[in-house]
Amino acid sequence: MLQLSHADYQALRAHGEETYPHECCGVLLGKAQDGANAVRQIVRAGNTRTDSAHNRYHIAPVELIRIQREARGLGLDIVGFYHSHPDHPAQWSQTDFAEAHWLGCSYVITRVAAGKADITNSFRLTGSSEEDKSFADEPIEIVMTPLAVESSQPA
Ligand SMILES: [Zn+2]
């Protein structure tokens, strides 16, 4: 289960419309709780692929490290990634699978058809290692209000 606020859901879909006919990509920050990835914030990332930006995405390692540092500062973790598929189904490709390395994370794909965000699907990367990883269909739960960040216990 992936939990997203209505605002974040709309924002990641709108991002795909803005970058059409190219792919957009970004990172989902939040917490894994009770088997669900609960998103508290989304972060847009630049698409560094210039060779074929319409069907591949990539977040530069240096940018990912910066986003991870920001997340820690907010008391959040990276719980997923999103990107768009301009005029292609909202299903993962072999390239998406090969480039997915974050076990337990949610990979969200939005089909953008003729410039309009269409279907959005999420896939959880399951398994215990790179050798036995697989993508599992994952339901998306839209919550109308942003989830509150629980206060952490003092050490
Ligand atoms: Zn893809």
Side-chain angles (χ1 to χ4, degrees):
M1 170 90 70
L2 175 70
Q3 292 178 326
L4 266 174
S5 73
H6 189 67
D8 284 342
Y9 180 73
Q10 297 287 33
L12 71 81
R13 287 165 56 82
H15 192 191
E17 293 181 345
E18 284 174 35
T19 60
Y20 182 88
H22 300 295
E23 287 196 5
C24 70
C25 62
V27 184
L28 308 175
L29 306 184
K31 284 287 179 188
Q33 52 189 32
D34 304 326
N37 283 332
V39 176
R40 304 254 165 72
Q41 193 171 322
I42 68 170
V43 180
R44 291 182 173 203
N47 193 332
T48 59
R49 275 272 170 80
T50 52
D51 52 345
S52 59
H54 60 285
N55 61 5
R56 280 159 199 263
Y57 75 102
H58 182 69
I59 300 172
V62 64
E63 186 171 22
L64 194 54
I65 288 166
R66 180 181 57 75
I67 292 169
Q68 193 166 23
R69 198 175 292 137
E70 279 176 16
R72 290 217 182 99
L74 296 166
L76 301 175
D77 301 313
I78 291 174
V79 296
F81 301 90
Y82 72 87
H83 72 285
S84 62
H85 278 180
D87 298 317
H88 280 82
Q91 295 292 327
W92 53 270
S93 66
Q94 285 304 321
T95 305
D96 292 336
F97 182 68
E99 295 184 353
H101 306 297
W102 291 61
L103 298 169
C105 272
S106 299
Y107 287 77
V108 175
I109 299 172
T110 298
R111 171 180 139 99
V112 182
K116 279 285 173 194
D118 185 358
I119 296 163
T120 297
N121 288 324
S122 183
F123 306 93
R124 180 78 70 100
L125 189 66
T126 60
S128 57
S129 71
E130 190 69 21
E131 284 67 43
D132 72 350
K133 69 178 184 181
S134 64
F135 270 138
D137 291 359
E138 176 178 57
I140 299 177
E141 185 184 35
I142 307 297
V143 291
M144 293 305 290
T145 50
L147 299 155
V149 178
E150 323 98 75
S151 54
S152 53
Q153 296 295 319

